[in-house]
Amino acid sequence: MIDMKLSDFRDPWLAEGIQLDRAIGFFPREFYCLDNYSANKIEYDGWVYGTVEEAYQASAFKGVAEDVVSLIRQAKSPYEAKQISLANKDRKRPDWETEKVVVMEELLREKVRQHPYVKEMLLRTKDYLIVEDSPKDSYWGWGLNRDGENNMGKLWMKIREEILSGNL
């Protein structure tokens, strides 16, 4: 079992008037559609995936471990797809570390192209900073101390700018 404290889940509004050691919030935030786990199917590389996360995880093995790609395609959830990927991390494409941001950017663009609602919600962010508020991921998000790289947020802001400039 993963060792977590309720304070790891940071919805500040939940703390207002509620003891965090007695409640867990589960209603998704307004911009949840920007999350890779959101239930927005995506057609990518000739396959329809249940989520961006599943397509991303499969891409890490494309061309080098097609058996793992197949397992990920059969996954019942993005969480399961990620677990399959983690269990096979030593079999990822040799160029994955240099290509993973490029692949994620392609996937996010496809998500916007294929889902008008996602595009609409992205544009509702106006010119605000977009952050993946993950306390566990300082590469894609901003991490526990909120000083991470936030690469996911940067990609969403880049795509938002492309839409606003008429290039997407």
Side-chain angles (χ1 to χ4, degrees):
M1 177 171 257
I2 300 172
D3 183 31
M4 292 184 283
K5 302 178 300 265
L6 289 177
S7 60
D8 289 342
F9 301 94
R10 300 191 287 234
D11 280 326
W13 57 268
L14 186 61
E16 296 173 15
I18 299 175
Q19 293 177 350
L20 278 178
D21 61 346
R22 299 180 63 187
I24 293 175
F26 68 91
F27 191 80
R29 295 180 188 177
E30 182 178 6
F31 294 97
Y32 181 69
C33 67
L34 301 181
D35 192 280
N36 287 351
Y37 281 58
S38 71
N40 297 95
K41 290 183 180 181
I42 182 167
E43 186 175 337
Y44 183 72
D45 204 25
W47 190 263
V48 177
Y49 294 91
T51 64
V52 164
E53 185 67 22
E54 293 164 56
Y56 174 78
Q57 296 300 339
S59 296
F61 300 93
K62 184 113 175 78
V64 297
E66 291 298 323
D67 59 318
V68 178
V69 172
S70 181
L71 287 172
I72 291 171
R73 287 178 176 165
Q74 295 171 42
K76 305 246 187 290
S77 70
Y79 175 80
E80 185 179 333
K82 186 170 184 177
Q83 295 310 305
I84 293 166
S85 178
L86 290 172
N88 292 280
K89 64 185 174 189
D90 59 325
R91 299 181 63 202
K92 288 183 179 179
R93 298 169 22 183
D95 66 345
W96 186 242
E97 285 305 306
T98 59
E99 293 299 312
K100 65 185 181 183
V101 173
V102 172
V103 170
M104 183 62 76
E105 188 173 336
E106 290 174 6
L107 288 166
L108 298 182
R109 275 198 190 90
E110 285 303 317
K111 187 173 184 177
V112 166
R113 285 185 187 114
Q114 295 174 31
H115 297 281
Y117 175 74
V118 174
K119 181 178 181 178
E120 175 188 332
M121 292 304 288
L122 180 58
L123 292 174
R124 283 188 185 181
T125 65
K126 300 183 180 182
D127 62 349
Y128 290 105
L129 173 68
I130 299 173
V131 176
E132 181 177 323
D133 187 17
S134 170
K136 303 193 180 335
D137 188 340
S138 60
Y139 180 79
W140 291 112
W142 66 355
L144 182 62
N145 297 320
R146 295 184 169 167
D147 60 357
E149 294 181 46
N150 189 35
N151 285 302
M152 186 67 67
K154 290 174 184 174
L155 289 175
W156 277 122
M157 289 183 288
K158 179 179 180 180
I159 291 168
R160 178 181 62 196
E161 189 55 40
E162 290 174 6
I163 294 168
L164 291 171
S165 66
N167 293 323
L168 182 63

